[in-house]
Amino acid sequence: MFEQYENAEITIEQLADIHPSMYRLCDIRDEVSHRYGSIPNSEYIENIIEKAKSGELSKDTSYVLYCMKGIQSSDAAYQLRQMGYDAVSLKNGYSEWLLSSYKDDYGDKQEEVEKSIRKKFHKVLFSKFAKGINEYDLIQEGDKIAVCISGGKDSMLMAKLFQEIKRHNKFPFELVFLVMDPGYSEVNRLLIEKNARMLGVPITVFESKIFDAVYEVEKSPCYLCARMRRGYLYSKAKELGCNKIALGHHYDDVIETILMGMLYGAQVQTMMPKLHSTNFEGMELIRPMYLIREEDIIKWRDYNNLHFIQCACHFTDTCSSCRDDGTSASKRMEVKKLIADMKKSNPYVESNIFKSVTNVNLSTIIKYKDKNGVSHNFLEEY
């Protein structure tokens, strides 16, 4: 069917003229990216070339492959053709599809999204957002909070939840919706701006050159990038008169971080709901989505037919490794799968992991550090 496309590429417009039942739409990015957002009715296929070599892919089927920008999928489609498969790459990939999905007239989209938060997802999103704020005392009267938006599903939802909290206005506080452009491509910058307009989030954008600064770094560039982004956000927020920055980490991030610390870092620690900045006096970091489950964020996103970028980094085509906290997304996915497997036999495993760091018995700990970083051994008082 796709023999006519000699360059092994097909545009979104050309694909629209073909009935979906006539081909398989395959997302060949990493699993993290697919989970974060994908083209409707597409399927994630890991290592598609290896599957083709092992005979796991049928040659009786036509394939449309896509990645983030159409680079890796173009190479993969060419290789599949060399092996006798009917395959093409979606030109310019997922980012191009995202742009084409936006219309200049957003209609009642903002109202629909806000209604879904107040009605259908009130219990699992808004109530848990409010509970997190109250339980961990995250907002005080007179605060000016920089709500940090990366352009993904978590931070965009956080912005909408903050707007809803502000609407109730039990006490006065201010919000600034802050977007840092560390060197986004034109397409990714445009996607963030379009989503913000569609959702009615009045973003303040400032630029930095972080991507360029870490481009030549070979060891842990994502960790360095995350640290630098955090510093720039603190600095800009303080410049704007804010005393807090808010990040969109959720419940699943917390429990995954606990296990990752044990399995990969040989330490027991957690992602705290709030932290004082050590480098910016008077500044504080808060995580108001601390009690919200990722599966509920995904359901809210899909219910409203919203689409977000996962990462706008220009290191690679897909950039699965980039996280706000600088951790490896591949390791995080391993832990995510581990938790899912354990949940099959123990439905309480997630809450048990979460509660474990609230129920620490120091008398059974061999060695620990106090708040000043001083190490203590159980032998001191044995």
Side-chain angles (χ1 to χ4, degrees), residues 7 54 64 72 81 92 106 111 134 154 165 167 185-186 197 205 225 260 275 294 310 316-317 335 359 371 374 379:
N7 60 354
S54 64
V64 177
Q72 293 180 347
R81 284 186 168 213
N92 297 325
Y106 301 128
E111 184 179 340
N134 293 328
D154 305 329
I165 283 282
R167 192 173 71 89
S185 68
E186 184 179 351
R197 283 197 296 272
V205 183
C225 179
M260 287 179 72
L275 290 168
E294 186 181 24
Q310 179 216 344
T316 66
D317 186 30
V335 170
N359 190 29
K371 64 180 181 180
V374 178
L379 292 175

Side-chain angles (χ1 to χ4, degrees), residues 180 182 210 225-233 322-324:
M180 182 185 63
I210 292 176
C225 179
R227 290 292 299 272
M228 291 179 68
R229 279 185 288 159
R230 186 77 55 84
Y232 271 94
L233 288 169
C322 194
R323 291 276 310 179
D324 282 341

Side-chain angles (χ1 to χ4, degrees), residues 277-345:
S277 172
T278 55
N279 298 317
F280 295 86
E281 187 177 353
M283 295 293 293
E284 193 175 359
L285 180 154
I286 62 173
R287 294 184 170 102
M289 296 177 67
Y290 205 77
L291 301 178
I292 295 178
R293 298 304 310 268
E294 186 181 24
E295 64 179 0
D296 293 319
I297 299 174
I298 292 172
K299 288 176 182 177
W300 167 81
R301 178 200 67 191
D302 295 346
Y303 177 82
N304 289 289
N305 194 29
L306 299 173
H307 304 281
F308 304 105
I309 62 170
Q310 179 216 344
C311 176
C313 177
H314 59 210
F315 278 114
T316 66
D317 186 30
T318 58
C319 191
S320 65
S321 60
C322 194
R323 291 276 310 179
D324 282 341
D325 52 9
T327 59
S328 165
S330 60
K331 287 186 173 60
R332 191 169 287 274
M333 183 54 71
E334 287 178 16
V335 170
K336 193 183 291 288
K337 290 178 178 178
L338 175 63
I339 293 173
D341 287 340
M342 291 190 294
K343 189 177 178 180
K344 294 175 184 177
S345 57

Side-chain angles (χ1 to χ4, degrees), residues 72-321:
Q72 293 180 347
S73 58
S74 181
D75 291 341
Y78 179 77
Q79 290 184 61
L80 287 178
R81 284 186 168 213
Q82 294 294 101
M83 289 185 276
Y85 287 89
D86 184 27
V88 289
S89 166
L90 185 62
K91 189 174 182 179
N92 297 325
Y94 182 59
S95 59
E96 181 74 12
W97 177 84
L98 277 176
L99 280 177
S100 70
S101 68
Y102 291 101
K103 298 177 176 60
D104 292 333
D105 180 13
Y106 301 128
D108 299 324
K109 194 64 174 180
Q110 178 183 342
E111 184 179 340
E112 293 171 4
V113 169
E114 292 172 352
K115 183 179 179 181
S116 73
I117 290 174
R118 293 169 191 159
K119 300 293 184 179
K120 184 175 179 63
F121 296 97
H122 185 275
K123 183 177 180 181
V124 294
L125 295 181
F126 182 76
S127 292
K128 290 188 177 181
F129 187 76
K131 182 180 179 181
I133 289 173
N134 293 328
E135 188 164 322
Y136 302 114
D137 194 25
L138 301 184
I139 302 177
Q140 285 79 40
E141 184 174 338
D143 279 345
K144 187 172 183 180
I145 304 167
V147 182
C148 300
I149 298 173
S150 65
K153 67 185 191 326
D154 305 329
S155 61
M156 278 295 191
L157 173 59
M158 178 175 65
K160 296 308 297 179
L161 290 170
F162 261 118
Q163 286 181 323
E164 186 66 15
I165 283 282
K166 183 69 174 158
R167 192 173 71 89
H168 292 271
N169 211 32
K170 292 184 178 179
F171 53 79
F173 66 94
E174 296 181 61
L175 297 172
V176 176
F177 299 98
L178 194 59
V179 175
M180 182 185 63
D181 181 346
Y184 292 147
S185 68
E186 184 179 351
V187 170
N188 285 321
R189 168 87 175 245
L190 188 59
L191 289 171
I192 294 172
E193 292 172 341
K194 281 180 174 288
N195 267 329
R197 283 197 296 272
M198 180 175 66
L199 297 175
V201 178
I203 59 175
T204 297
V205 183
F206 74 101
E207 297 178 355
S208 70
K209 299 296 182 183
I210 292 176
F211 285 170
D212 290 337
V214 301
Y215 190 76
E216 300 296 333
V217 176
E218 295 183 5
K219 187 176 181 181
S220 304
C222 294
Y223 175 76
L224 177 60
C225 179
R227 290 292 299 272
M228 291 179 68
R229 279 185 288 159
R230 186 77 55 84
Y232 271 94
L233 288 169
Y234 268 126
S235 181
K236 186 64 177 181
K238 192 167 187 177
E239 177 188 319
L240 295 173
C242 298
N243 63 311
K244 293 178 179 177
I245 66 170
L247 301 183
H249 297 120
H250 47 67
Y251 184 98
D252 295 74
D253 288 325
V254 177
I255 62 175
E256 289 160 14
T257 297
I258 294 170
L259 277 191
M260 287 179 72
M262 294 180 183
L263 301 178
Y264 301 111
Q267 57 189 344
V268 177
Q269 62 177 18
T270 189
M271 181 181 284
M272 298 297 288
K274 63 180 181 180
L275 290 168
H276 290 294
S277 172
T278 55
N279 298 317
F280 295 86
E281 187 177 353
M283 295 293 293
E284 193 175 359
L285 180 154
I286 62 173
R287 294 184 170 102
M289 296 177 67
Y290 205 77
L291 301 178
I292 295 178
R293 298 304 310 268
E294 186 181 24
E295 64 179 0
D296 293 319
I297 299 174
I298 292 172
K299 288 176 182 177
W300 167 81
R301 178 200 67 191
D302 295 346
Y303 177 82
N304 289 289
N305 194 29
L306 299 173
H307 304 281
F308 304 105
I309 62 170
Q310 179 216 344
C311 176
C313 177
H314 59 210
F315 278 114
T316 66
D317 186 30
T318 58
C319 191
S320 65
S321 60

